Amino acid sequence: MYILGIETSCDETAAGVASNSEILSNIILTQSAHSRYGGVVPEIASREHIRHIVPIVDEALQKAEIRFADLSAIAVTRGPGLVGCLLVGVSYARNLGLSLDIPVVGVNHLEAHISTAFTDSEIDFPLLCLVVSGGHTLLVVVNGFGKYEILGSSRDDAAGEAFDKVANLLGLTYPGGAKLDDLAEGGDPGIFRFPTVKLKKGRWDFSFSGIKTAVALKIKELENTEYDPANVAAGFRQAAVKMLISKLEDAIEYTRCSRFAIVGGVAQNKLLRSEVDRLSAKTGVGCYYPDQSLCGDNGAMVAIAGNLMLENNINYESDFDASAYLPLK
Ligand code: KG4
Ligand code: ZN
């Protein structure tokens, strides 16, 4: 059984092929057209998806060494995301499904990120999953595929959004999260310390806008002085990661989870990965983070989620539309 996964919810045009849980290809095109605007321009993103979706899907099939006729199903991100972008993927997938006479499954983007935790060979439930991406920060108890209990989310900026905004303040081009992470590697986190916000124990929401403002004020204060931006990046990264880790630690204790995982674009962060390892050693609860290629938006995660949906016969709706707001159920 070969399943094609298509992802066009934001600024990645991506497609991947999976055979059951095995990933055969994962082709990702990150649109570069947005970097000079400092953020994603929805209209440009939709047009770029239209331009790239056909060659990206072709490449995904070629890399997997299969033909369209070999596909048994198609999975496509139906939301949440930019509706004009989602529409490109959904229309393409539904038309392809009609012409091949195979099922098309609409996947929730957050569930696709969560499904990357299912590539963990030691997965165990209840699994505590931290979703950290450019658009979302969610702490979820996963009791099985499709069985979610949301503990908390960000009250303002998502974790990745905060990284991108601080990167922008430091003059790094969009998307700046990974660039800031690299810059921070060469900095000293002890020079500029930023306040961390921790909502009370037992309250599971996050807030990143305060730390972002603190960095903006510090950069303004340093304007006419000589300072090393790497130290600002390191100070911010340390504080942001600390906020995520301390909430994870409380939630591990509260949920008595069997395992925990971090998924989404920010799960590539080097400090976050090493702190997650440390937390695992400290608590004795096993942890998992997917391969880097599965963290940012990609088509393989959509194929994995689609495959799990079909296997478990959950949430399967043959008649679905693109949806900008789509809660995780
Ligand atoms: O999951 P994703 O590809 O897209 C959304 O669903 O939003 O996440 C993208 C986000 C961006 O904000 C990007 O800057 C951030 O993930 N990101 C990182 C790193 N790599 C990507 N943030 C911090 N450190 C990184 N190494
Ligand atoms: Zn995403």
Side-chain angles (χ1 to χ4, degrees):
M1 151 127 187
Y2 295 108
I3 182 160
L4 168 69
I6 297 173
E7 159 60 41
T8 64
S9 69
C10 192
D11 58 339
E12 266 88 21
T13 313
V17 175
S19 171
N20 299 315
S21 56
E22 190 191 352
I23 295 164
L24 302 180
S25 66
N26 195 13
I27 310 296
I28 306 161
L29 181 132
T30 299
Q31 302 172 357
S32 54
H34 308 284
S35 60
R36 66 175 151 138
Y37 301 103
V40 177
V41 183
E43 176 64 24
I44 295 176
S46 310
R47 287 168 190 262
E48 288 291 294
H49 287 308
I50 293 169
R51 220 153 66 88
H52 297 297
I53 191 155
V54 171
I56 289 292
V57 169
D58 284 349
E59 201 179 328
L61 264 65
Q62 265 169 34
K63 182 86 195 294
E65 298 184 352
I66 61 162
R67 292 163 309 149
F68 279 110
D70 298 320
L71 290 172
S72 2
I74 302 168
V76 61
T77 302
R78 62 176 288 214
L82 299 168
V83 78
C85 295
L86 291 163
L87 269 172
V88 178
V90 169
S91 318
Y92 175 90
R94 293 194 66 160
N95 281 295
L96 184 61
L98 265 180
S99 65
L100 297 172
D101 196 21
I102 55 175
V104 181
V105 189
V107 172
N108 182 307
H109 184 76
L110 298 170
E111 190 162 33
H113 277 301
I114 292 171
S115 74
T116 62
F118 284 69
T119 59
D120 174 6
S121 59
E122 293 173 48
I123 191 165
D124 203 357
F125 304 106
L127 168 79
L128 180 66
C129 189
L130 176 67
V131 184
V132 269
S133 73
H136 297 89
T137 309
L138 273 186
L139 194 56
V140 188
V141 180
V142 180
N143 292 307
F145 185 75
K147 296 178 187 149
Y148 312 117
E149 199 187 312
I150 297 176
L151 284 184
S153 58
S154 178
R155 294 201 176 176
D156 37 59
D157 290 346
E161 190 181 355
F163 268 91
D164 291 339
K165 286 178 177 169
V166 170
N168 183 271
L169 291 169
L170 291 170
L172 303 169
T173 54
Y174 180 87
K179 293 166 195 147
L180 187 148
D181 191 18
D182 289 340
L183 182 64
E185 288 288 293
D188 178 350
I191 297 190
F192 302 111
R193 291 183 185 273
F194 298 105
T196 54
V197 174
K198 186 177 174 194
L199 302 173
K200 275 196 196 124
K201 202 168 177 172
R203 294 222 197 125
W204 305 109
D205 287 344
F206 300 89
S207 171
F208 290 98
S209 69
I211 183 180
K212 178 195 66 187
T213 307
V215 178
L217 291 172
K218 179 54 76 182
I219 291 175
K220 190 144 185 50
E221 183 190 316
L222 295 168
E223 214 166 37
N224 298 316
T225 66
E226 281 219 358
Y227 70 96
D228 185 352
N231 294 333
V232 177
F236 164 74
R237 183 177 70 161
Q238 171 126 320
V241 168
K242 190 174 162 196
M243 289 201 276
L244 293 170
I245 292 289
S246 77
K247 205 53 34 181
L248 256 180
E249 185 169 3
D250 288 352
I252 288 169
E253 188 191 322
Y254 172 74
T255 59
R256 297 173 178 272
C257 59
S258 304
R259 202 162 169 79
F260 70 100
I262 52 166
V263 301
V266 183
Q268 295 168 91
N269 188 272
K270 297 180 189 80
L271 181 65
L272 181 59
R273 284 184 175 237
S274 69
E275 288 298 316
V276 155
D277 284 334
R278 235 156 64 121
L279 183 59
S280 173
K282 183 176 167 191
T283 56
V285 180
C287 72
Y288 182 69
Y289 32 82
D291 186 77
Q292 303 261 2
S293 61
L294 289 177
C295 289
D297 288 350
N298 67 89
M301 70 177 188
V302 182
I304 295 169
N307 188 49
L308 287 164
M309 281 168 77
L310 289 169
E311 254 178 23
N312 292 285
N313 208 17
I314 336 178
N315 295 340
Y316 181 63
E317 251 180 82
S318 56
D319 190 22
F320 65 88
D321 219 336
S323 184
Y325 299 99
L326 191 65
L328 179 72
K329 278 195 219 141

